[in-house]
Amino acid sequence: MIEHFSTRGRGSAESIEYWNELLNATYNGLVVDPVQSLFKAQMSRWQMGDMTMIAPQSSAAVVARRNPGAANRTAQSVVIHMVQSGKCRLTQRGRTAHLGPGDMVICAGEEFYQFDVPESHQLLVVEMDRGPVESRVQHLDDMIARNISGQLSTTRLLRNFLLSLWREGGANFDPSLEQSYASVLVDMLATGLQQRDPATSGPASPLLARMKGVVAAHLSDPDLTPSQLAAELGVSLRKLQSAVAQAGTTPGSYIMQSRLELAAQRLLVERDLNVTSIAYTSGFTDAAYFARRFHERYGLSPSQYRQRH
């Protein structure tokens, strides 16, 4: 049975207290810290078989899971977070994942993690036992706190399946089928993670590793293009595109993402350089274009990103 909750009709302080009690009761240790004084949120919750699923949406906030394993140190779970709208940044195990609409990330449910969400957002979240997933996916820990692109076909299929479950769950869903659908969900998640598993990525993996090395060495070169990258690697552009597709992206998108990540790092480390200089030394020839793409990726302007970190 699906339950529905909302902060509507509550004062600001009451809303936050109510929401934190609700979150902690749903996923042990989960708390929210609103970015603005006026906090609005609503959520649907569904206990489907052995899984706890929620569909939350709220205004800008910092959401963290603190000391989640205190209640049961032996329990281990994985938590799927799929972004429906808005952008956010996840940190766990010293890793950082920047997520946009359609993207997905897997968290270790018994460990601390934090989402920084600078704008209104909507998610699909599922917590499940780690065992069934780990039995199907080698190197599961390598997948924790990694951005899983919404461009991957397996991610899209999983998202569509989740949305279909929510639609049917609100109508004439047969409760006797919940465990069966939960098992299907585990299988679909495992299939998607295996697509990214470095141990099963096939013969294109060495080419992908070489490409990453070449891109890293030439990021400051504004003339670096997918065609030039393929030539540098001694392969056809089509072969390079096929290899990079295994990571759920394209050569051009990978170059852009790498340049933005480099710029984000330099904004924090080289604070004596202005934003325009950071843009040029990261391979961009137009500061305005850089600022626009940076905001698309991180949800903040370069200057705001530097101020807030």
Side-chain angles (χ1 to χ4, degrees), residues 220-279:
S220 59
D221 180 3
D223 295 325
L224 180 64
T225 65
S227 295
Q228 291 172 325
L229 182 57
E232 180 79 15
L233 293 167
V235 299
S236 68
L237 178 58
R238 183 179 295 275
K239 183 174 182 179
L240 177 62
Q241 291 170 332
S242 177
V244 180
Q246 295 187 33
T249 187
T250 65
S253 294
Y254 181 80
I255 293 171
M256 176 60 67
Q257 177 180 321
S258 299
R259 282 177 171 153
L260 291 172
E261 290 176 352
L262 174 63
Q265 180 181 358
R266 285 178 168 171
L267 282 167
L268 303 184
V269 175
E270 303 175 57
R271 292 183 178 269
D272 56 321
L273 292 180
N274 60 37
V275 172
T276 299
S277 296
I278 294 290

Side-chain angles (χ1 to χ4, degrees), residues 126-146:
V126 184
E127 182 167 40
M128 62 183 70
D129 290 339
R130 178 186 172 108
V133 182
E134 191 168 33
S135 67
R136 294 165 170 82
V137 181
Q138 295 182 350
H139 309 288
L140 177 59
D141 281 322
D142 291 341
M143 309 297 178
I144 300 297
R146 306 289 193 190

Side-chain angles (χ1 to χ4, degrees), residues 80 82 104 106 124 126 128 152-165 184-190 192:
I80 307 170
M82 185 167 287
M104 179 175 73
I106 308 296
L124 293 174
V126 184
M128 62 183 70
L152 287 169
S153 60
T154 49
T155 306
R156 293 196 302 270
L157 287 169
L158 179 60
R159 175 177 176 272
N160 290 335
F161 182 66
L162 280 171
L163 290 173
S164 296
L165 284 176
V184 172
L185 184 57
V186 171
D187 288 337
M188 294 184 72
L189 174 63

